[in-house]
Amino acid sequence: MSTPSTTLIKSAASPLTIGVLAFDGISPFHLSVPSLVFGDLHKYADTPEIRLRVCSQAGTAGNHKIRTSAGYTLETKYGLSTLRRADIIIIPSWHEDLRTTPDELIKLLRVANKNGAHIVGLCLGAFVLADAGLLNQREATTHWALAQEFASRYPQVHVKPDVLYVDQDKITTSAGTAAGIDCCLHLLRTYFGAELANQVARRLVVAPHRQGGQAQYIEQPIPVLASDDRLGKVLHWMHSHLDQTQTLDMLANKALMSRRTFTRHFQQLTGTTVGKWLLHQRLNYAQRQLESSRQTIEEIASAAGFGSALLMRRYFAQVLKISPSAYRLQFRGTADAP
């Protein structure tokens, strides 16, 4: 679920500092997620400068050793003094006993939020943001297994237990484990555009964009059937023919399924509905074309399957909170293709 109030895409001339909190007992996987997404961007051509800083809870600079839950120790030279200066602050998880957040960290997050930093709580990191009061009267998510505990502890927060991530006004929370990758890719897309996010996703061999409102988990395992292979081929066809009208009956026929069976299998496989999946594929395609091509907005709208520029503008405003022309302007410096 993503409802950013403004588009935050940064220019290549404006370095971005991302601070990631590390603490004794942290899971190496959770700590690695922001590094996987943001740490190697220098490998890609024409990418902006990003300074990724893993920061210990120690308040001063110097070498800090951090014991991980896997039994080995990491070392970082950055502390809270670096974290408080970051443009994006990521709390990648929290202690499994859900201990109360230290006052120093709460104060840091409140001040950073007031000063315009983007605050992110991945998985149990949402508990830290809630302790700081940053989620009051907001929607938020966390790992589904602890959603009930979260809702009980923070009744002033509107918990969305079934979604991958929630992004509202530079406060972002995500579900557990792999959803942290989806959330970080969403942030990369928000700040630097769809094309770079897609390149990083390909390197990580993950889906380039799973919308925040998709389900965290599937309640019943999907059996490996011949129908799954048929559905996979239909998904490929849908993605390759975005410019064409795609009705539910047509797609069900291609999958050799009834409409009802196709709808059920599609939701199990993708975590979302046919209509929502198609919309986000079309938006993703339009974003990439606006970033890199000189096609007119009318041409892009037609190729993406929106049917008209008016309809594409409506969905851009509704989902991305920006017009296609303004989106293109942030990448090209000119809205030369109306």
Side-chain angles (χ1 to χ4, degrees), residues 125-146:
F127 281 79
V128 177
L129 272 61
D131 276 344
L134 300 183
L135 301 179
N136 291 351
Q137 308 309 316
R138 290 177 178 269
E139 293 183 345
T141 193
T142 187
H143 194 291
W144 65 267
L146 289 165

Side-chain angles (χ1 to χ4, degrees), residues 39 80 88 118 124 134 174 226 285 312:
L80 292 185
I88 301 175
H118 193 144
L124 301 187
L134 300 183
S174 88
Y285 174 85
M312 187 172 85

Side-chain angles (χ1 to χ4, degrees), residues 166-236:
V166 177
D167 182 17
Q168 295 180 319
D169 302 323
K170 300 182 79 172
I171 299 287
T172 306
T173 54
S174 88
T177 318
I181 298 177
D182 292 304
C183 184
C184 287
L185 285 171
H186 163 73
L187 293 172
L188 187 63
R189 173 183 300 271
T190 300
Y191 279 87
F192 298 111
E195 183 57 37
L196 180 58
N198 289 348
Q199 289 183 51
V200 173
R202 284 194 294 270
R203 178 174 61 84
L204 298 179
V205 198
V206 298
H209 184 212
R210 291 203 295 168
Q211 65 210 66
Q214 287 186 218
Q216 284 194 31
Y217 63 97
I218 297 168
E219 294 190 25
Q220 297 180 350
I222 303 174
V224 179
L225 301 172
S227 59
D228 296 327
D229 183 58
R230 293 200 303 270
L231 189 55
K233 291 178 180 177
V234 172
L235 282 168
H236 178 75

Side-chain angles (χ1 to χ4, degrees), residues 4-9 189-191 320-323 327 330:
S5 59
T6 56
T7 298
L8 304 171
I9 295 167
R189 173 183 300 271
T190 300
Y191 279 87
L320 302 175
K321 311 301 179 186
I322 192 172
S323 71
Y327 186 88
Q330 293 172 318

Side-chain angles (χ1 to χ4, degrees), residues 154-175:
Y154 309 109
Q156 67 275 33
V157 181
H158 307 303
V159 183
K160 306 286 287 185
D162 299 326
V163 302
L164 292 176
Y165 53 85
V166 177
D167 182 17
Q168 295 180 319
D169 302 323
K170 300 182 79 172
I171 299 287
T172 306
T173 54
S174 88

